[in-house]
Amino acid sequence: MSKRIGIMGGAFNPFHTGHLRHAIEIKEELFLDEIQLVPSYNHPHKEGLLPYDIRITCIEKSIEHLDFIKINTIEEHIIGKSYTDSMLTQWKKDNPNDFPYFLMGIEDFAVLPTWHCGTKLPLISPLIIVSRNGKTAEDFYQIAQSYWDNCTIKVNNLNLPLINQKKAQVFVNNQEYCQFIQIPNLEITATHIRELWIKQKNLQGLLNPNVIHFLDKNYALIQKYWQ
């Protein structure tokens, strides 16, 4: 049976509570069958990343007992930079019977043309755009209109103005390109977590306790990358 799978990519340096809640909220709100976490292997922009295997270990410790969230190491086997279009193309080859949705925040959606083949991503996989920092479905549609001619929008509640819609879908030539979703967001960043960890501050509530223990146990190694 075909599955609807949300694909959540990122450096995950480290994977934190915000990432976890993000995945759970989207899975439940959109009735997806599964969320797959795809850590970047050879990230084209970010520096100071923990080694891939360490980032994988942190994710494993964070999602124990959550059988609907899985790790996909597809990028480890793709030659070259970890570009999203290459990953999604390979993912579809590996999973011909399943249907992917690629997850991103609206701040990334707003700079989609700077991504490798960014505005062509919906031709590979529809995008799920998550609201952040007060951005609305109206902002989402304005961005989409700047990328794709003749795009149209479909909303859940015809009685509400676009600015108040919690969900909306954009279509181009009757093909779903992306959908907007407004869910609770935890304002947590990996950058802030790394800064706190270097200062040996308390990270309870930001990371899984097992991840905190793992990072502290390997302090000398982690410090080499995060200092």
Side-chain angles (χ1 to χ4, degrees):
M1 181 180 294
S2 177
K3 293 182 180 180
R4 299 169 69 244
I5 297 179
I7 300 176
M8 184 174 172
F12 302 128
N13 189 40
F15 185 84
H16 54 66
T17 304
H19 291 133
L20 182 62
R21 285 308 310 173
H22 184 102
I24 293 171
E25 294 280 355
I26 291 175
K27 190 267 183 188
E28 294 187 340
E29 190 67 30
L30 297 180
F31 303 101
L32 301 179
D33 296 296
E34 187 177 295
I35 297 289
Q36 289 188 7
L37 305 173
V38 181
S40 298
Y41 185 74
N42 188 10
H43 202 289
H45 305 300
K46 295 189 178 181
E47 299 179 352
L49 294 183
L50 292 175
Y52 187 72
D53 60 335
I54 292 180
R55 286 182 283 132
I56 292 288
T57 296
C58 290
I59 298 174
E60 290 173 340
K61 292 180 179 296
S62 300
I63 63 172
E64 291 177 336
H65 312 304
L66 294 173
D67 58 1
F68 58 87
I69 303 180
K70 303 184 184 303
I71 302 171
N72 188 325
T73 58
I74 185 173
E75 290 204 356
E76 186 177 2
H77 309 290
I78 296 177
I79 298 173
K81 296 291 186 181
S82 296
Y83 291 124
T84 300
D85 61 315
S86 300
M87 180 272 290
L88 289 173
T89 299
Q90 185 61 50
W91 191 97
K92 291 185 74 173
K93 291 179 181 178
D94 295 343
N95 303 271
N97 297 321
D98 294 329
F99 196 80
Y101 292 87
F102 185 73
L103 283 52
M104 66 168 56
I106 197 168
E107 72 281 3
D108 286 326
F109 186 55
V111 295
L112 197 59
T114 68
W115 288 38
H116 190 259
C117 299
T119 56
K120 296 181 179 179
L121 287 180
L123 296 173
I124 310 172
S125 163
L127 309 178
I128 294 176
I129 311 302
V130 180
S131 172
R132 289 196 181 120
N133 300 318
K135 297 298 184 180
T136 68
E138 186 172 64
D139 298 308
F140 160 73
Y141 189 39
Q142 288 176 353
I143 295 169
Q145 287 177 307
S146 72
Y147 297 157
W148 305 298
D149 295 333
N150 303 318
C151 66
T152 59
I153 193 164
K154 178 182 177 181
V155 298
N156 276 23
N157 190 336
L158 297 177
N159 296 318
L160 291 177
L162 188 54
I163 194 171
N164 293 331
Q165 297 286 341
K166 294 191 179 298
K167 292 182 186 176
Q169 295 169 286
V170 158
F171 294 82
V172 178
N173 298 324
N174 295 319
Q175 178 180 344
E176 183 186 8
Y177 263 42
C178 49
Q179 58 180 302
F180 170 88
I181 180 173
Q182 196 170 74
I183 57 174
N185 275 298
L186 298 179
E187 297 298 327
I188 300 172
T189 68
T191 300
H192 184 53
I193 288 172
R194 294 193 298 271
E195 291 171 350
L196 292 176
W197 185 84
I198 287 296
K199 296 175 182 177
Q200 296 185 290
K201 300 293 186 179
N202 192 326
L203 296 179
Q204 293 296 330
L206 299 175
L207 297 176
N208 182 291
N210 292 331
V211 174
I212 297 173
H213 176 73
F214 172 76
L215 294 175
D216 290 344
K217 184 179 178 181
N218 295 278
Y219 186 88
L221 175 61
I222 306 300
Q223 186 183 37
K224 282 173 37 180
Y225 296 94
W226 283 0
Q227 186 64 52

